[in-house]
Amino acid sequence: MMNGLTLVCLAIVIFVCAYMFYGRWLVKTWGIEPDAKTPAYRFRDDKDFAPASRFTVFAHQFSSITGAGPVTGPIIAAMFGWVPAFLWIIVGGVFFGAVQDFTALYASVKNDGKGMGALIEKYVGHTGCKMFLMFGWLFSLLVIAAFSDIMASTFNGFSKTGEMMGPNASAASISMIYIAVAMVFGVVTRRFNIHGSKELILGILCMVAMVSLGIAHPIYASRTTWLYVTYAYCFAASIMPMWLLIQPRDYLSVFLLLGMILAGVVGIIVGNPSINMPAFTSFDVAGKPLFPILFVTIACGAVSGFHSLVSSGTSSKTISNEKDMLPVGYGSMLIESTLGVVSLVIACSVAVNGQLPKATPFAIFGSAIGGYFTMFGIPKYYSTCIVTMCVSALAMTTIDAVTRIGRMMLQEILAPEEGKEQGSVAKFLSNTYVATIVTLIPSYLLCLGGYMNIWPLFGAANQLLSALCLVALAVFLKMTGRKSWMLYVPMTFMFFVTMSALCLSIYGIYKKAMAGVFFPMVEGLQLVVALCLMFLAINVVRSCTKELFTGKVEVADK
């Protein structure tokens, strides 16, 4: 029987070696300019472009990309056995995900902090750009809907029978205090120029105070109420300057998330659990084939298209030195992959007779991590509150960033071609406040269908986005005279995997319709989104591959 500690240690060794050798090799191959002025300085507006320390940018990148995926994906994928899931996290994390995240950040920093859409317009063309932006905007609706439902459900203070759930209410209270404190933290550190160790100590003290105060004063409210609050938070995060809310919130979040990972690793080291799941079960489980389901079920932790939007949409605008790109882009992804392995080991260690407990992935993970916290003398109730807060933080740190990215994508879609004037309607919709509202309304309608109805489509769209980003980044590397062959296998594999998964999703909706279980506002909207995603993806790939094989090479910048 395989030992959980062996798996975690093996993964950590592989990830450290990947960072030290493969990551640094990419930097050396493509080249960086440590003395160059980054876009954060050249276009500084203290809203989107705001230079920050390496750890602050790392905190934003890591907090934003580490959503619910690294916990849910590996646990669900364990149905195929621990070996397929473990191998995909390792191979995907090192050669797919970390490469994509770093390359997207690298390409954006080298191109004035431009997002993926603008990069495609520069190296592929206007039509390909608009197609990609439409795809990315539709994808952002799925992300906001899925993670908002997760967050609201996590904060729900009442069970189905009406009983009050203290840990959920305390987690909600901590989160509300957390938002307010993050804003104050951002103002104070900026006003008094607090950086380095002083900022670190202040951040840890704030987290301890927030957790203590939230546990002492829980807020009991229904899922519906918290859904409204969540969308109000998304609106605020989209329009506020980066330094005022998102950056300090991510900085504080990183202590929670790294602490959760550390607790899991230490708990596995001390507990030395056995893997109680078979190494491999079957190529088809409950009608779900290993290919392509495994590769879209484990997204975050292996490769996730959403990460490239964070790298090029927000992180690239805050990088202070090009040397910071490796730890921020490549390093943060490997830490997320570590969380994926920890989640897999934890789930497999609590399995009984080769079967996972009858509970949600969050419940399985949270219960185990809560038990690990008690090993350090933290009472069970407090540990449950902390873990619940960590789970909600996974969702919170994703939805605020993706709302902002979705808003910016919509503004880019509506932007006029060079030399042309923007129409009055497009100008109105391009307003920051209006663009945010237009992004949030359809995502709310999708959210009404529930997290479980959205997740399969979200997973497929997310991985398809990674294929589009990888092929676009390959064009950037080729057009600037840099080696791009290391992206060819990942982009080709992910495209075929995800198109297959989307076809399965459409077939599933078709079967529901044939069975008479078809609701226009749920399955109908999902079908429209799925078909639009496939159409846009095929056109983006066609435009990019044409440039990849026929485009002229430019002079590479250093």
Side-chain angles (χ1 to χ4, degrees):
M1 184 176 291
M2 175 56 70
N3 182 278
L5 178 58
T6 302
L7 276 185
V8 171
C9 290
L10 178 61
I12 291 174
V13 170
I14 292 173
F15 292 147
V16 170
C17 291
Y19 181 88
M20 297 294 291
F21 297 103
Y22 192 50
R24 289 181 175 177
W25 177 78
L26 291 176
V27 171
K28 183 179 180 181
T29 301
W30 295 336
I32 62 171
E33 294 179 279
D35 298 326
K37 269 195 172 184
T38 61
Y41 285 107
R42 287 188 284 114
F43 305 102
R44 183 170 188 169
D45 59 8
D46 289 329
K47 291 181 180 179
D48 293 321
F49 291 88
S53 67
R54 175 183 297 184
F55 184 77
T56 299
V57 185
F58 168 83
H60 166 68
Q61 176 82 5
F62 177 68
S63 297
S64 297
I65 68 173
T66 308
V71 173
T72 58
I75 293 177
I76 295 173
M79 63 183 176
F80 295 110
W82 64 264
V83 168
F86 178 78
L87 290 178
W88 173 230
I89 293 173
I90 296 296
V91 175
V94 172
F95 298 106
F96 287 58
V99 173
Q100 173 205 250
D101 296 7
F102 169 67
T103 312
L105 181 62
Y106 179 87
S108 182
V109 170
K110 289 293 187 180
N111 284 275
D112 300 333
K114 292 178 179 178
M116 286 301 304
L119 289 172
I120 291 177
E121 181 167 29
K122 179 177 180 179
Y123 295 102
V124 178
H126 184 73
T127 302
C129 166
K130 293 297 184 183
M131 290 283 186
F132 176 83
L133 289 172
M134 278 300 301
F135 183 98
W137 184 72
L138 286 173
F139 171 72
S140 72
L141 304 184
L142 294 172
V143 179
I144 298 168
F147 286 80
S148 293
D149 184 61
I150 291 172
M151 189 169 160
S153 300
T154 303
F155 289 166
N156 182 12
F158 303 98
S159 66
K160 292 182 179 179
T161 58
E163 297 176 352
M164 293 170 39
M165 297 188 291
N168 289 26
S170 292
S173 180
I174 297 169
S175 297
M176 295 303 102
I177 297 170
Y178 178 23
I179 294 170
V181 170
M183 294 174 66
V184 174
F185 183 83
V187 172
V188 170
T189 53
R190 185 181 178 84
R191 173 67 178 80
F192 297 101
N193 197 28
I194 300 174
H195 298 292
S197 59
K198 291 181 181 178
E199 186 181 24
L200 179 65
I201 294 171
L202 180 61
I204 294 174
L205 290 175
C206 284
M207 285 308 309
V208 173
M210 285 187 292
V211 170
S212 302
L213 189 60
I215 291 176
H217 302 282
I219 300 175
Y220 290 92
S222 67
R223 172 191 172 277
T224 302
T225 299
W226 284 120
L227 198 58
Y228 293 148
V229 173
T230 299
Y231 272 85
Y233 168 71
C234 288
F235 178 82
S238 175
I239 63 175
M240 287 184 176
M242 284 284 292
W243 65 265
L244 181 57
L245 178 56
I246 291 184
Q247 273 188 352
R249 197 267 298 124
D250 286 338
Y251 185 89
L252 296 174
S253 291
V254 79
F255 300 118
L256 276 175
L257 302 180
L258 291 178
M260 183 174 66
I261 296 174
L262 181 61
V265 172
V266 172
I268 290 172
I269 292 174
V270 175
N272 195 19
S274 297
I275 301 297
N276 299 320
M277 286 286 290
F280 178 73
T281 56
S282 173
F283 285 103
D284 190 293
V285 177
K288 297 178 180 179
L290 186 145
F291 181 92
I293 298 302
L294 172 70
F295 305 99
V296 296
T297 300
I298 302 180
C300 297
V303 58
S304 167
F306 167 67
H307 295 189
S308 64
L309 301 186
V310 176
S311 293
S312 62
T314 52
S315 295
S316 63
K317 298 173 176 62
T318 58
I319 285 284
S320 296
N321 191 299
E322 290 192 7
K323 291 191 298 183
D324 299 343
M325 292 190 291
L326 181 62
V328 171
Y330 201 90
S332 60
M333 178 61 206
L334 294 183
I335 296 179
E336 185 188 73
S337 296
T338 302
L339 175 58
V341 173
V342 169
S343 301
L344 176 66
V345 168
I346 286 174
C348 293
S349 68
V350 296
V352 178
N353 297 324
Q355 297 292 323
L356 293 175
K358 299 294 183 180
T360 65
F362 282 149
I364 295 171
F365 182 81
S367 176
I369 292 291
Y372 291 155
F373 273 127
T374 60
M375 296 166 56
F376 304 107
I378 300 176
K380 180 69 174 178
Y381 180 82
Y382 288 175
S383 65
T384 304
C385 291
I386 293 171
V387 172
T388 304
M389 169 56 196
C390 288
V391 169
S392 67
L394 292 174
M396 181 186 292
T397 55
T398 297
I399 58 174
D400 54 10
V402 79
T403 303
R404 192 180 191 91
I405 292 167
R407 180 261 294 172
M408 291 191 292
M409 282 190 156
L410 181 57
Q411 290 174 315
E412 288 185 68
I413 291 171
L414 298 169
E417 293 185 43
E418 189 174 349
K420 295 184 178 181
E421 290 188 9
Q422 190 176 35
S424 56
V425 175
K427 186 177 293 185
F428 171 73
L429 293 175
S430 295
N431 176 275
T432 298
Y433 300 95
V434 177
T436 300
I437 293 172
V438 172
T439 299
L440 291 176
I441 289 176
S443 75
Y444 177 77
L445 296 176
L446 283 167
C447 185
L448 297 178
Y451 158 72
M452 291 306 296
N453 283 315
I454 304 167
W455 192 258
L457 183 57
F458 157 73
N462 183 39
Q463 300 302 72
L464 184 52
L465 178 60
S466 72
L468 303 188
C469 290
L470 285 165
V471 69
L473 292 169
V475 173
F476 153 75
L477 293 172
K478 188 245 183 177
M479 297 286 280
T480 55
R482 296 178 171 91
K483 294 178 180 178
S484 59
W485 56 264
M486 61 286 290
L487 270 60
Y488 292 171
V489 170
M491 72 186 193
T492 304
F493 180 76
M494 294 312 301
F495 181 75
F496 285 109
V497 160
T498 49
M499 291 299 284
S500 300
L502 276 175
C503 288
L504 285 178
S505 294
I506 292 173
Y507 180 64
I509 295 173
Y510 168 76
K511 287 202 300 184
K512 283 186 177 182
M514 292 297 98
V517 187
F518 185 89
F519 300 96
M521 287 304 296
V522 180
E523 284 81 13
L525 192 54
Q526 290 178 29
L527 178 61
V528 171
V529 172
L531 291 173
C532 287
L533 290 173
M534 292 181 72
F535 171 78
L536 293 169
I538 290 171
N539 280 278
V540 172
V541 168
R542 185 175 62 181
S543 298
C544 289
T545 50
K546 181 181 178 181
E547 288 297 324
L548 188 61
F549 294 109
T550 64
K552 294 181 180 179
V553 178
E554 300 175 359
V555 177
D557 49 280
K558 294 181 181 180

